[in-house]
Amino acid sequence: MPRRAGQAAAPDGTRIAWTSGGEGAPPVLLSGGIGRAGFVWARLAAALLALSLALPAGAQLVLGRPYDPSFRWRTIETAHFRVHHHEGLAALAQDVAREAERAHERLSPLLAHAPRGKTEIVLSDDVDDANGSASPLPYNTIRLFAVPPESLSVLHDYRDWLRQLVQHEYVHVLHLDTTAGLPAAVNAIFGKLWVPNAFLPPFFTEGIAVVHESEGDSAAGRNGSALFDMYARALATEGEFPRLHEASNQYLEWPAGNVPYLLGGRFMGWLQTRYGPESLAGFFHDQGAMVWPWAPSWAGARWFGGKEFPELWSEYAAVERAYAEGRRAAVAQRPVTRARALTRRGGRTEHPRFSPDGRFLVYQSRGLDDAPGLRKVSPDGEDLGRIAVVDSNGTLALRSPREALVAIGEIHEEHRLHDDLWLVDLESGARRRITRGERATDPDVSADGSTAVYVRRTGGGGMALVRRRLDGGDPRPEVLFDRPGAQIFMPRIGPGGRIAFELHEGGRRDLALWEGGEVRRLTDDDALDTGPAFTPDGRFLLFASDRGGIFNVHALDLGSGGVRQVTNVETGAFEPEPSPDGKTLVFVGYSRAGFDLAAIPLDEAAWLEAAAPPPAPAEAAPPAAAEPLPSRPYRPWRTVLPSFWLPVLGFSSEGNVYGAFTAGTDVLLRHAWSAQGWWSERWSEPAWAVAYQGGWSWPRLDLSSRRDFDLSRGPPYRMQRVSTWADAGLTFTWTRLARAFSVRAGWSGTSHESVEDPFPQPPPPPEVQVDDGFLSDLSIGAVYSDARRFVRSISPEEGRTVSVRLRLAAPELGSDWALSRARGSAVQYVRLPFTRHAVAAVRLAGGVADGTLGWSAPFTLGGLGELDPLALLPGGATVASDQLRGYEDDVLRGTGFVLGNVELRAPISAPGYGVSTWPVFVRRIHGALFLDAGDAFDMPGELSLAGHALSKEELRFSAGVELRVELVLGFYLRTDLRVGVARPLGALLGRGRAADRAAGLETPDAVFYLVLGPSF
């Protein structure tokens, strides 16, 4: 359920940069797995579990991100739910528990399903976002944030934000939990693993939730939203309506990440209207029995008139086009507003503010092609460039022509994401903090720049209107208005110190006015009235309203109370901003490309009669006082126990092996663990791999232990029992929305014990002989990254990633061997000037070692290896980062290495090609020219592996070209299929190809390869 926000974000603006959910394996799958080719079943099963966990239902926000370790949690248990909440949320958690039971009572019959166990709900107030997520694995879980949606959120059309949020997420639980047939039988044996409904295109998953989120109220929820209606009408009338395969996959154009909610909700609603309310539930029940889950037409045929989804989609698209043309014709019955475009950036362009002298406007832009931030534009539409990057929020007011007061969201105390106020210099972009951890948003500034008003989130869903001095007077904030249940948005200061704002109360969003300590409603109806702004003379309050079904700018006469319609647009008009001289009106308009700024003369004579707003809904009777539900301290053991198991069967160097794999995590992600155990038939001994990760502390703790059997690391070669008794680490993190830095310090202790006599072989040289022993190994690693990619990017295109790792084993640490390793890498990305998304990417890497075991090389360089389909799965292997393309795998070996890679990457096309609802989608095609240079060498005094020391004359070069096809697999997994040709160039600074021949490297003139996985 997306909102505005961060840079490293989903296409609609959903904040994901800070979290790891959906981007990799969740913590239930920890390191320490078997990882041998003979154990493909174990690896495949573990990866499929990770894939299921990563499939989003709602926004996948917190899976993998620990909650603030300082929180203290309690649990409320009801007949069907356990609601977990931290301090400060007791009252809201009581409401959540009652709303959840209400949702179960209503929705379970509609979807003809009731989960067997209790659904876990986690309620937190650590993120200034209205959002939620749901997952069926490893158990039914809902996660909710305790913040109401902001003014122009796609979620802003609600009666009760908490009720709508709970209903939406519980639909996901009921839908995804529905299984039958063979999947249900398998789950009965192995635990809950196989959830066929989770493998549908996301528009099914989100669509059914949107249909039911508003309890059938056609005037609320996203299917009743004028904002979503506008999105759909623009798609239907401006260009080709999205095809079924485009809607099924990751959409590259606006409205991008909102497409599953927008088209899914409307398509599911159309199906339900046409084929009856039982059709959707029946379809999802049949889909829940599908062994092959990616063919929904098979399950849907008997519920939707025997038609397959491509035919149904075509009929639905025709209905959308006819409806949109009808609305356009209706608008044309009166003079249509023809505005002058000021920006053409699309995406999210919002919050326009004139400078006090009228020379320019500042606005927040969140486009599809670059970083979000504050931008300037002149009144005649000249782009004056970006002022500053603002990754989250961006509501603003101008204090002077040189300074803006801006609400900026940022990581607070490492585990929270809060909004605060900053003063931003409009020339340099430099910022100065005004509040710290106050959760302040939606600022405005008085005409003389001395005073600010803003909205403060007070916790537990509460909001307050606050005033603060900016001119050096008393800096303490003053609460002007704070009423239980009242939600406040977008305050604006008018002449005389009056403050207009949006007030959501009693199930509707109206305009209100604070004056002299009193608050009164200015509108009182069922229209959404948003974005107030006073005209310079104070006569009128301009605002956007969806009365009439389309958002238009309206003017409220503050003397008479009359309302007139200022714009008559075909799509929508929002956030009116009059010029200081009162002659021009700038507003946020809409087209298929997204939101942009537009301007018209502010001419009262051209205003129209306003449509009558729908009447205010009847005030609901206050609920009867209920006894508080009992709560108790949180107990992790209820959810941390294993909920599944899988057999481990295979063959490896250990012969036949038989065992089992299981894992678990508690619902607060404080304790995550995995365990595998197997019996080696050959050695008649058990082996294991167990791991634990803690999210209850900072730094985070990880522990693992492992035993298996492997070939000795040097001669005399024999099989050994390799037991890592403990591998422990502490990870320290310092995170911001646009960058992250982490350090892990760890120790591992591993014993190597022979389990058979050495293989027949000549006696090894003493310097490479490896006896049994114990390796005690200290390590420290650090990673920093501020690399960014955007919706239409083909790769990261700005910023850098730097990593360093040091390892040390010495007798002083209890080790039988003395070894040390140091390696590091740095990658820099630069968008090429005058291009949209062409990128220069440079990677430098190197490492040195002191000591080695046997002939084992500390470092190797070479090509990319073979195509590995399992690399697609979460936690699967990826292409090696140290690439010397054109040479064989690991062909260069040494106790040191250096490497440089340079790539010029450029987009070719974005075909967006797919077939119906098939789970394979060709999203983009791009290409790269590359030059690689590197060598592995011998450190002084070390074993001769390379046969030479570091020398520029020995550097191997290769060059080539790759065609890269960006694939989306299973609707969620994005990867690159890379087809390349590389030419080994030999030692260009030395003997060229002759150096390769002299070293016994049989390299052809050109090497063709096919690999799966991104480049660096």
Side-chain angles (χ1 to χ4, degrees):
M1 298 176 68
R3 181 215 178 193
R4 64 189 183 205
Q7 156 38 37
D12 58 351
T14 303
R15 219 177 249 140
I16 61 173
W18 177 33
T19 68
S20 60
E23 293 297 307
V28 69
L29 293 165
L30 303 172
S31 59
I34 298 172
R36 294 186 178 201
F39 293 87
V40 167
W41 282 113
R43 181 179 169 194
L44 182 61
L48 284 174
L49 175 64
L51 172 60
S52 299
L53 281 163
L55 293 175
Q60 197 74 345
L61 292 168
V62 292
L63 189 59
R65 177 183 67 82
Y67 294 97
D68 191 330
S70 68
F71 284 156
R72 298 295 175 262
W73 295 81
R74 297 188 66 83
T75 301
I76 298 171
E77 191 159 357
T78 68
H80 301 96
F81 301 90
R82 280 188 287 264
V83 179
H84 312 281
H85 67 91
H86 56 77
E87 64 273 18
L89 296 180
L92 191 63
Q94 293 280 332
D95 293 341
V96 167
R98 292 189 174 90
E99 288 295 343
E101 286 296 339
R102 187 177 187 277
H104 177 81
E105 182 180 358
R106 174 182 173 269
L107 294 170
S108 183
L110 287 175
L111 277 76
H113 179 68
R116 292 182 60 186
K118 295 190 177 184
T119 297
E120 310 291 334
I121 300 179
V122 181
L123 176 66
S124 65
D125 197 13
D126 51 352
V127 174
D128 284 345
D129 247 333
N131 227 318
S133 66
S135 173
L137 296 174
Y139 37 77
N140 291 330
T141 305
I142 293 172
R143 302 184 189 275
L144 307 175
F145 293 163
V147 172
E150 47 97 18
S151 175
L152 277 184
S153 166
V154 295
L155 309 176
H156 72 168
D157 198 339
Y158 57 86
R159 302 291 185 202
D160 182 311
W161 70 274
L162 188 64
R163 176 169 297 169
Q164 188 163 303
L165 180 62
V166 171
Q167 300 261 358
H168 182 102
E169 301 305 340
Y170 193 55
V171 171
H172 286 319
V173 168
L174 295 174
H175 168 214
L176 300 176
D177 187 67
T178 300
T179 57
L182 181 61
V186 170
N187 289 344
I189 298 171
F190 296 108
K192 191 176 179 185
L193 284 171
W194 196 347
V195 283
N197 275 308
F199 293 89
L200 285 169
F203 77 80
F204 284 98
T205 307
E206 297 304 341
I208 184 63
V210 168
V211 164
H212 291 295
E213 70 187 10
S214 62
E215 299 190 315
D217 183 352
S218 61
R222 278 169 281 195
N223 269 2
S225 162
L227 194 67
F228 256 32
D229 189 73
M230 176 186 74
Y231 284 8
R233 287 186 286 109
L235 288 175
T237 57
E238 300 178 27
E240 185 179 5
F241 194 77
R243 294 163 290 178
L244 178 58
H245 65 265
E246 293 174 312
S248 298
N249 283 280
Q250 298 177 14
Y251 199 58
L252 275 173
E253 303 301 321
W254 184 264
N258 269 313
V259 164
Y261 304 84
L262 169 67
L263 299 185
R266 295 170 77 90
F267 181 53
M268 293 292 109
W270 176 79
L271 288 175
Q272 181 171 269
T273 300
R274 183 169 182 176
Y275 294 101
E278 73 286 349
S279 59
L280 293 181
F283 161 59
F284 289 126
H285 272 264
D286 285 358
Q287 175 66 24
M290 297 297 291
V291 175
W292 178 257
W294 288 301
S297 287
W298 296 349
R302 79 183 182 105
W303 296 100
F304 304 127
K307 299 178 180 179
E308 296 191 349
F309 279 107
E311 183 179 358
L312 292 167
W313 187 265
S314 295
E315 294 176 6
Y316 157 69
V319 170
E320 285 282 17
R321 284 190 288 268
Y323 166 74
E325 290 296 347
R327 293 305 303 268
R328 176 186 278 179
V331 170
Q333 296 299 308
R334 300 198 294 174
V336 176
T337 300
R338 302 301 178 191
R340 176 169 49 88
L342 299 185
T343 67
R344 292 179 174 83
R345 300 186 60 79
R348 293 287 300 196
T349 299
E350 52 195 348
H351 315 318
R353 293 298 185 96
F354 266 103
S355 65
D357 57 13
R359 291 189 299 110
F360 59 85
L361 293 106
V362 177
Y363 63 96
Q364 171 76 355
S365 172
R366 297 177 182 86
L368 306 182
D369 296 297
D370 52 13
L374 302 183
R375 301 187 68 91
K376 273 184 181 181
V377 65
S378 71
D380 60 3
E382 180 186 359
D383 183 5
L384 302 178
R386 188 171 67 194
I387 300 165
V389 171
V390 175
D391 289 301
S392 175
N393 199 320
T395 51
L396 68 119
L398 297 195
R399 188 185 184 197
S400 72
R402 285 192 54 87
E403 199 170 44
L405 183 65
V406 187
I408 299 176
E410 188 52 275
I411 306 300
H412 179 70
E413 296 179 349
E414 188 57 30
H415 294 90
R416 311 185 193 192
L417 178 53
H418 287 169
D419 294 332
D420 270 305
L421 298 182
W422 298 73
L423 284 171
V424 176
D425 187 290
L426 297 179
E427 297 299 324
S428 67
R431 60 180 69 175
R432 176 166 61 90
R433 180 184 287 275
I434 300 299
T435 68
R436 184 178 296 275
E438 194 173 336
R439 308 182 70 178
T441 186
D442 295 1
D444 195 32
V445 179
S446 60
D448 62 3
S450 65
T451 305
V453 297
Y454 55 94
V455 175
R456 177 198 292 166
R457 297 184 182 94
T458 57
M463 306 174 82
L465 180 65
V466 177
R467 182 165 60 189
R468 173 192 288 266
R469 302 286 297 184
L470 297 176
D471 60 357
D474 187 349
R476 290 174 298 181
E478 174 191 6
V479 175
L480 302 179
F481 175 63
D482 181 7
R483 186 159 65 204
Q487 296 157 23
I488 302 158
F489 307 93
M490 305 300 287
R492 293 296 291 266
I493 302 174
R498 296 177 296 176
I499 303 170
F501 57 93
E502 299 173 29
L503 175 64
H504 197 295
E505 193 174 35
R508 60 193 188 275
R509 189 180 295 257
D510 292 314
L511 299 181
L513 188 71
W514 180 94
E515 188 172 17
E518 299 294 326
V519 171
R520 62 183 175 93
R521 285 182 185 269
L522 298 175
T523 60
D524 190 4
D525 50 59
D526 203 28
L528 295 180
D529 298 331
T530 68
F534 290 92
T535 55
D537 59 11
R539 289 181 56 211
F540 295 98
L541 187 68
L542 303 173
F543 64 100
S545 177
D546 68 346
R547 57 190 71 197
I550 294 176
F551 271 101
N552 270 291
V553 176
H554 291 70
L556 171 67
D557 189 318
L558 290 169
S560 68
V563 175
R564 299 184 69 190
Q565 186 172 325
V566 177
T567 65
N568 184 43
V569 297
E570 295 174 340
T571 51
F574 310 86
E575 295 196 286
E577 173 71 2
S579 62
D581 61 9
K583 296 179 179 180
T584 302
L585 175 67
V586 171
F587 61 89
V588 175
Y590 188 80
S591 70
R592 181 168 178 152
F595 296 88
D596 272 297
L597 302 189
I600 59 173
L602 188 54
D603 180 8
E604 184 179 350
W607 297 352
L608 307 171
E609 291 300 316
E619 289 282 354
E627 287 294 320
L629 299 167
S631 72
R632 55 168 172 76
Y634 170 72
R635 299 168 187 164
W637 63 266
R638 287 180 176 268
T639 52
V640 80
L641 297 176
S643 60
F644 74 94
W645 73 280
L646 286 166
V648 172
L649 304 172
F651 177 81
S652 73
S653 55
E654 304 167 43
N656 293 326
V657 295
Y658 314 94
F661 164 78
T662 189
T665 179
D666 76 310
V667 72
L668 297 185
L669 310 176
R670 292 192 160 200
H671 309 282
W673 60 274
S674 66
Q676 302 173 59
W678 62 97
W679 181 264
S680 167
E681 187 178 79
R682 177 178 179 183
W683 306 113
S684 299
E685 283 191 41
W688 67 80
V690 296
Y692 169 85
Q693 180 173 296
W696 44 267
S697 67
W698 188 95
R700 293 196 298 269
L701 170 70
D702 62 87
L703 299 169
S704 64
S705 178
R706 174 190 178 101
R707 169 185 283 183
D708 58 8
F709 301 87
D710 204 351
L711 188 66
S712 64
R713 298 177 65 177
Y717 290 105
R718 72 279 188 196
M719 291 302 296
Q720 290 184 315
R721 181 188 304 111
V722 181
S723 304
T724 299
W725 300 106
D727 187 336
L730 292 173
T731 300
F732 303 79
T733 56
W734 295 269
T735 313
R736 293 292 180 267
L737 281 179
R739 63 186 186 277
F741 178 54
S742 65
V743 176
R744 182 188 182 273
W747 174 85
S748 67
T750 304
S751 64
H752 298 255
E753 305 166 283
S754 297
V755 295
E756 67 175 3
D757 294 333
F759 305 150
Q761 57 193 291
E767 64 270 20
V768 299
Q769 182 171 328
V770 178
D771 298 324
D772 290 356
F774 182 76
L775 181 64
S776 176
D777 190 357
L778 282 178
S779 65
I780 185 167
V783 178
Y784 170 84
S785 181
D786 59 10
R788 292 175 181 258
R789 66 180 296 164
F790 313 108
V791 174
R792 295 195 182 111
S793 301
I794 59 172
S795 84
E797 57 184 57
E798 62 181 53
R800 64 209 53 81
T801 297
V802 180
S803 66
V804 177
R805 188 169 188 229
L806 307 174
R807 298 178 58 199
L808 174 65
E812 293 79 4
L813 301 174
S815 178
D816 292 323
W817 296 288
L819 304 170
S820 60
R821 306 281 187 272
R823 68 170 298 149
S825 66
V827 185
Q828 179 70 49
Y829 305 98
V830 179
R831 184 191 291 191
L832 298 181
F834 311 112
T835 71
R836 291 291 296 274
H837 293 292
V839 179
V842 180
R843 182 177 187 271
L844 300 176
V848 292
D850 182 8
T852 187
L853 292 179
W855 294 109
S856 175
F859 304 108
T860 62
L861 285 180
L864 297 174
E866 299 177 355
L867 183 68
D868 180 9
L870 289 179
L872 293 170
L873 298 171
T878 58
V879 175
S881 56
D882 295 330
Q883 308 171 13
L884 190 59
R885 287 161 282 196
Y887 287 85
E888 292 183 7
D889 250 5
D890 301 334
V891 69
L892 302 177
R893 307 163 65 83
T895 51
F897 86 99
V898 292
L899 177 66
N901 309 101
V902 178
E903 290 190 355
L904 296 180
R905 304 167 178 173
I908 297 174
S909 67
Y913 177 75
V915 178
S916 182
T917 57
W918 289 16
V920 179
F921 183 68
V922 178
R923 199 167 183 232
R924 282 177 285 218
I925 298 174
H926 48 106
L929 301 174
F930 66 83
L931 176 68
D932 297 341
D935 186 35
F937 55 87
D938 299 328
M939 292 290 293
E942 296 296 316
L943 190 67
S944 178
L945 296 171
H948 60 268
L950 176 62
S951 169
K952 70 177 187 299
E953 287 81 9
E954 294 289 345
L955 279 177
R956 262 58 177 191
F957 287 79
S958 66
V961 60
E962 288 184 2
L963 182 68
R964 298 170 177 174
V965 180
E966 183 183 295
L967 302 176
V968 179
L969 305 174
F971 314 113
Y972 299 102
L973 300 178
R974 185 182 66 197
T975 190
D976 288 341
L977 180 67
R978 297 160 52 195
V979 182
V981 56
R983 177 177 174 81
L985 301 176
L988 283 184
L989 305 180
R991 293 180 294 162
R993 296 292 298 276
D996 289 348
R997 291 190 291 271
L1001 305 181
E1002 299 297 331
T1003 53
D1005 288 338
V1007 175
F1008 294 88
Y1009 57 87
L1010 179 69
V1011 294
L1012 201 58
S1015 187
F1016 60 88

